[in-house]
Amino acid sequence: MEITQDMTIGELLRANPAAAPILMEEGMHCVGCPASQAETLAEAAVVHGMDIDSLMSKIQAI
């Protein structure tokens, strides 16, 4: 499965649970909250003041 910034956090974690530590290290401690089931990676990056391209690079590296 291709990981994209339009995926929800929940979709990402179901596809690749190894991404959870990366999200946590970047300050996205919402990996277990209900919002993660509906919020895309791009939306979460904006809310958390992150650079989506940098975050995607880290996720795709695993």
Side-chain angles (χ1 to χ4, degrees), residues 1 21 23 25 41 44 49-50 53 55:
M1 170 182 277
L23 298 178
E25 288 170 9
L41 289 167
M50 298 177 181
D53 294 325
L55 179 62

Side-chain angles (χ1 to χ4, degrees), residues 1-40:
M1 170 182 277
E2 180 184 359
I3 305 299
T4 69
Q5 62 184 351
D6 297 322
M7 293 178 81
T8 66
I9 296 170
E11 290 171 332
L12 167 64
L13 295 175
R14 284 189 293 280
N16 191 346
I22 292 171
L23 298 178
M24 297 289 284
E25 288 170 9
E26 293 297 314
M28 282 189 190
H29 301 281
C30 57
V31 295
C33 79
S36 70
Q37 299 305 308
E39 190 171 52
T40 67

Side-chain angles (χ1 to χ4, degrees), residues 3 12 16-23 56-62:
I3 305 299
L12 167 64
N16 191 346
I22 292 171
L23 298 178
M56 293 304 297
S57 292
K58 291 176 183 176
I59 291 170
Q60 291 170 347
I62 56 171

